[in-house]
Amino acid sequence: MGKYFGTDGFRGEANKVLTFEHAIQIGRFLGWYYGARVGKKAKVVIGKDTRRSSYMFEYALCTGLMASGADAYIMHVTTTPSVAYITRVDDFDCGIMISASHNPYYDNGIKLLNTNGEKMDEETILQVEDYIDGKIEIPVASGHDIGRTVDYVAGRNRYIGYLISMSKFSFKNKRVGLDVANGAAWSIAKGVFDALGAKTYVMNAEPDGYNINTDCGSTHIEHLQKFVVDNGLDVGFAYDGDADRCLCVDEKGNVVTGDHILYIYGLYMKERDKLINNTVVTTVMSNFGLYKALDKVGIDYEKTKVGDKYVYENMVQNGHRIGGEQSGHIIFTKYATTGDGILTSLKMMEVMLAKDKPLSELAAPVVFYPQVLKNVRVKSKPDAQNDPDVQAQVQKVAEDLGDDGRILVRESGTEPVIRVMVEAGSDDTCEKLVDSVIDVIKDKGHLV
């Protein structure tokens, strides 16, 4: 991670951490880097979510791009995966999404995508940061070289058509609930499900610039749980602010997480001989219950660091077809280069219809283990993590758990915090074993 950009873009409170000046600078650099630097006029596509500040950042980015001679194609309010898709299929030099994902409205973010619709490489990100810090000088365009903006709502419509084409089944007679989080899926999801024949019930679809993710969407799925039960729906899907993640609710009102989705669709692929390498990619935060369920059906798995960026890198390097996070970032590399919440919900509908089973039955084999996670503020994350006595206690816990649980100790990527997590057969066991590690960290003087 760089000085400004983390694993999911440059994110922070609008005009306090991430400012409009930053947006202009990012536009200036990208317009030059993909354009004048290589002797051409760059084409960059931009999307945004429904935050009030997204409009400010959209115009600031366009200003910077045009000042460097690039043409900025504006998709308006749309999802992160739609920008990734259009960047790739319409041959843009790069794509930009303005969103802070599941964060509250007062935060915002700028996510950069390469010409293949993938997250921007670290080398280019570091050059963007150098320009922000005044370490690089770039020329200003003039005369006929100055760029322009192009209304590109057609790109969003093309993406909607692509999603509709993904379904192998009609959704006729299926009652589907959608919580679009007053966010980017607001203008897309219902139209897709309606076009496929579903009886669609939508909630939190009145964005006002301030209510994105507020007590709604995938971070507050309890409202969709009640909505599904109260309305007798077959299934419900909840998205986050930029719709790159999806959580589900079965017909009984139970939450179906990203781990469940990985199992359900991974098994569906295996049964049709489509699970290349017989492998599902997870992060280290997936529940132990997922691995137990995958073991029972003979599916292998790999674990990456937390972040869909690392999941995607592993999938590309090894040729795997499905991976994701418990939070609902699910990547299907045959169809997308990033997590896509609406695509994920369509894939869950596909399995339900193909097997003629309710979602509750499909998810039942994944039985979550109790989990306790505690965060400990420390003076030095590496010193605490690598302390021989701490490592010895972690090893002892792992041996005590054997095949009946697991322990994970990792550093936070953004705070001076060590996270200690145990999954085991009971909450009491988890609590006891987590505290045994924290006690050693404390006794060795690592706490702040």
Side-chain angles (χ1 to χ4, degrees), residues 127-139:
Q127 291 186 67
V128 174
E129 294 190 342
D130 282 347
Y131 179 67
I132 291 174
D133 285 340
K135 298 177 182 178
I136 298 175
E137 291 186 8
I138 59 177

Side-chain angles (χ1 to χ4, degrees), residues 23 45 72 109 131 143 153 166 173 185 225 229 244 273 291-292 361 371 412 445:
V45 64
Y131 179 67
V153 70
M166 286 293 96
N173 298 323
Q225 291 178 268
V229 173
D244 63 354
D273 295 322
Y291 302 124
K292 285 288 190 180
E361 185 175 341
Q371 179 189 97
S412 166

Side-chain angles (χ1 to χ4, degrees), residues 2 4 94 140-141 265 270 286 309 361 414:
Y4 302 106
C94 69
V140 175
Y265 204 82
K270 180 181 176 67
S286 280
K309 170 184 178 180
E361 185 175 341
T414 58

Side-chain angles (χ1 to χ4, degrees), residues 174-179 190 193-194 198-203 224 227 231-237:
K174 289 297 181 183
R175 296 163 58 83
V176 180
L178 303 175
D179 185 342
K190 186 179 188 304
F193 276 85
D194 286 348
K199 179 66 175 175
T200 313
Y201 299 76
V202 182
M203 60 190 302
L224 181 61
F227 188 76
N231 290 280
L233 306 184
D234 295 301
V235 66
F237 301 108

